Amino acid sequence: MASPEIETLTQALSRLPGLGPRSARRAVLHLLKKRETALAPLLRALEAVNERLATCGICGNVDTTDPCGICADPRRDTRALCVVEDVPDLWALDRSRLFPGKYHVLGGRLSALEGVRPEDLRIDSLIRRVADGGIDEVVLAMNATLEGQTTAHYIAERIERFPVRLTQLAHGLPVGGELDYLDEGTLAQALRARRPVV
């Protein structure tokens, strides 16, 4: 039996995405075995982030500075703006290092079932950023779900009065995907977005 403190740590870790009770126990045992090289640095890192955690007032990213590192980076193309549903989407796109511009995090997606309305998201601040000028292209990088596409359509209607190019991420066949294993929605989107063979 573990002490109440160790059990509390295990339960806290088991609530993290991707970690169940068994994985959390293994992680706790590893941290306890490697107290000086794993536990102490983890504690210091968690305390530092906890003390400095901030939401970027420009894009909505989570960082330890405001504005965040992406918004403060002078090498970023200020004319291109990629709109994402949430911070994990921003981090995933930015890890690819393929988008040179800046981002805007909505903080979710429109959903009638969940009661998420336009005023619950950071759509008005997006419109203000576009209205301020200096943006040539807005990329709508919503997830390929009904709610994601509804959100993209709503934003497109709000932005169409501004002189910006509006694009969205392509949907369809994943690289390495086999047709036999794909759902009908993915296949339909891939067929609709077909292009000439060069």
Side-chain angles (χ1 to χ4, degrees):
M1 284 297 280
S3 70
E5 294 85 2
I6 293 174
E7 191 57 39
T8 300
L9 175 60
T10 304
Q11 288 175 4
L13 287 178
S14 72
R15 288 192 289 272
L16 295 174
L19 286 181
R22 291 179 66 183
S23 298
R25 275 194 295 280
R26 282 196 299 273
V28 167
L29 287 171
H30 174 76
L31 290 170
L32 296 177
K33 277 184 181 178
K34 308 282 185 177
R35 186 174 183 173
E36 294 304 315
T37 59
L39 183 59
L42 177 62
L43 285 172
R44 286 192 296 274
L46 286 170
E47 286 173 355
V49 168
N50 185 46
E51 289 171 8
R52 300 181 61 200
L53 189 63
T55 300
C56 179
I58 299 171
C59 74
N61 188 16
V62 177
D63 205 338
T64 54
T65 59
D66 183 12
C68 70
I70 293 172
C71 287
D73 187 347
R75 296 169 296 179
R76 292 282 181 160
D77 183 359
T78 58
R79 295 167 298 149
L81 185 66
C82 183
V83 181
V84 296
E85 291 178 19
D86 226 326
V87 173
D89 303 325
L90 183 157
W91 289 4
L93 282 169
D94 206 51
R95 262 195 319 273
S96 74
R97 301 192 191 287
L98 296 173
F99 183 71
K102 302 214 175 184
Y103 294 91
H104 187 88
V105 179
L106 295 174
R109 60 183 176 242
L110 296 174
S111 173
L113 290 175
E114 296 172 13
V116 181
R117 302 161 306 176
E119 53 269 20
D120 299 325
L121 303 176
R122 299 183 70 249
I123 294 174
D124 287 340
S125 61
L126 167 64
I127 302 304
R128 281 193 299 274
R129 286 180 79 179
V130 173
D132 287 345
I135 295 173
D136 296 335
E137 179 184 13
V138 174
V139 180
L140 299 177
M142 309 294 108
N143 290 311
T145 61
L146 178 62
E147 293 88 358
Q149 295 311 298
T150 300
T151 306
H153 182 73
Y154 177 81
I155 291 170
E157 286 181 345
R158 297 272 314 265
I159 289 181
E160 69 183 358
R161 61 191 165 112
F162 299 103
V164 296
R165 193 173 107 202
L166 193 59
T167 60
Q168 76 177 47
L169 295 183
H171 300 288
L173 298 177
V175 174
E178 295 183 30
L179 295 178
D180 189 34
Y181 295 104
L182 299 175
D183 63 276
E184 289 81 15
T186 301
L187 287 171
Q189 184 61 40
L191 280 170
R192 280 195 295 273
R194 66 188 183 273
R195 52 190 164 82
V197 178
V198 181

